[in-house]
Structures are given as C-alpha cells and as structure tokens.
Amino acid sequence: MTSAAQQRANRNYRARLAERGIIRIDVMARRTDRDLLRRLARRLIEDDPEADRARGAVKALVDEGSPKPGGILAALRRSPLVGAGLNLSRPHVDGRRVDL
C-alpha cells in the first residue's frame, strides 16, 4: 500500500507530465522487448527530428498490414466464384402460426 504522500507525489508527477502532453500507458509485450519498448518510448517523447523519424518508421511498419476500407468487397470480387452463375436467392416462406 502506498502512503498518502506517495499517492500525492504520483498524482503531481503525472499532472506535470500531462502538461507536457505525455500520458502513461500500459502495454503487453514479451519480457525480452521491455528495454526496447522503454527506449522507444523515451525516444518518442522527445520532440526532435530523430523522434519524428522513429515515429514514421514505426507507423510504416504497423500500418503496412492494416485493413483498408472496402477490403471485404475487394476480396469477394477476387473470388473464383465470381461469374459462376450461382443462384443465391431464397424462396419466400410465410412464418408458422404460434398461439400465445
């Protein structure tokens, strides 16, 4: 358990960070990546060209495989069943009567 003074110190520290536009986040990662992620976070906090270059590299790596709008429709259009003349309509059936 933390004392009231420790809690107040944490609250003040995080408020000072928030004034700089920095927030605390928790991420899940492998133990072996801990130092790498901490160094990357420290680099991204700095407002210099190196931080911008690192940010751009990470974005390019992460955004490369992200789905784009209309991806499902494009995949369906590439399907080998396109133009196969399938009849996918269903007959209309009236529902059954239910006594309540």
Side-chain angles (χ1 to χ4, degrees):
M1 294 243 287
T2 58
S3 68
Q6 288 171 328
Q7 290 175 353
R8 188 172 50 252
N10 275 338
R11 194 170 43 247
N12 291 338
Y13 173 69
R14 289 185 180 159
R16 286 192 309 271
L17 289 178
E19 288 173 1
R20 293 172 45 200
I22 299 170
I23 61 169
R24 177 184 173 88
I25 58 172
D26 293 325
V27 296
M28 295 178 65
R30 293 178 185 245
R31 183 179 305 269
T32 56
D33 293 335
R34 176 189 293 173
D35 291 332
L36 173 66
L37 290 174
R38 285 181 175 170
R39 289 193 322 255
L40 177 62
R42 275 189 230 112
R43 172 66 66 181
L44 293 176
I45 286 173
E46 298 171 9
D47 198 16
D48 61 1
E50 279 293 317
D52 291 337
R53 190 167 35 254
R55 190 174 291 111
V58 171
K59 280 184 181 180
L61 180 67
V62 173
D63 289 344
E64 186 176 311
S66 63
K68 295 176 179 41
I72 293 174
L73 180 59
L76 291 174
R77 287 183 175 160
R78 289 189 307 264
S79 169
L81 296 177
V82 170
L86 298 176
N87 181 8
L88 300 176
S89 62
R90 296 181 358 185
H92 177 73
V93 177
D94 291 333
R96 58 189 167 130
R97 299 195 48 81
V98 177
D99 289 332
L100 297 175

